[in-house]
Amino acid sequence: MADLIWIRSDALSAAINPFGAELTHLHDADGAELMTNADPAFWPKHAPILFPVIGVTNGSVIRVDGTEYPMAKHGFARDMAFAVVDQGADHATFALTDTAETRVAYPYAFRLEISFRIDGATLSVEARIINPADTPMLAQFGFHSAFAWPLPYRQARADHRIVFDADEPGRLRAIAPDGLIAAQTNPSPLDGRTLHLADDLFANDALVWDPVASDAVTYGAAIGPRLRIAFPDTPALGIWTKPGAAFVCVEPWHGIADPEGFSGEYKDKPGVFTVAGGDAKTIGMSVTLVP
């Protein structure tokens, strides 16, 4: 494991692993852990960066101009070493650029910068997907942060909930056993704007709001500190855990997995965006500890 990079304020401290530019710890002022324990019996990761795809692709390939390229679930960025390009007491930036290895799976030049900054009780994470070429680049991007369930504030696991900022009247995408998006949809499990967390919600994988109307959710128990997670730049949201695990993931996505039977071009994969030549797209999220 690479040495962790720590950033701090009086209210929060965070550690980032340059391998994958992955947030691995988020502590409150007393040092209490707000992230997953990464128990390998359930899921050994903390907050992987998803690029250049979300979820699985049909046949484990993407197709660009008729050519197939092998693509792993959630892409390759989470399994590559990023360079540390900027670092200070309260901020750090990590960068990944294309290589011969990435071009086997993804035929684009790119620079992916992931920046972390703590300001008081807020950790902000910003991704810049940069296209250094003259021709357009296609991509998907997502966050996959796993927060402690329960949070370390002496409230029961069963009392934790996620409250959406807006009404979410639509049905949810369903995930097939192979990880593709199923043809059917599922009714919303929300009670008004509230998701009462329980293991059986995740018996068939993640809950997927696509589209999601909210730009933020609040996670925690009714009593004690909570986490407000804001995601103004992403049109979809996944919430996931493995039943019995000590975490719940809040996953803002720009894109989703392939639908069942999808065999089209990468540009037609749901949620793929275009970055013009010489341009960049910025996607951010923030986590605020609120009393």
Side-chain angles (χ1 to χ4, degrees), residues 171-265:
R171 294 174 65 88
L172 275 62
R173 297 275 195 172
I175 298 180
D178 58 4
L180 297 173
I181 298 295
Q184 77 271 17
T185 58
N186 291 329
S188 173
L190 295 181
D191 175 13
R193 293 183 178 182
T194 299
L195 179 68
H196 299 284
L197 290 172
D199 285 329
D200 59 2
L201 288 171
F202 306 98
N204 296 314
D205 213 314
L207 307 177
V208 179
W209 282 263
D210 174 44
V212 64
S214 299
D215 286 336
V217 297
T218 301
Y219 161 61
I223 300 171
R226 291 154 291 156
L227 298 178
R228 179 170 172 79
I229 303 149
F231 41 90
D233 306 312
T234 46
L237 181 72
I239 296 178
W240 172 76
T241 190
K242 287 194 171 180
F247 69 84
V248 61
C249 288
V250 179
E251 307 179 39
W253 297 336
H254 204 305
I256 58 173
D258 280 2
E260 289 183 300
F262 180 77
S263 60
E265 286 276 311

Side-chain angles (χ1 to χ4, degrees), residues 30 34 52 113 144-145 211 215 221 230 283:
D30 296 322
L34 305 176
E113 294 181 351
H144 199 315
S145 303
D215 286 336
I283 297 174

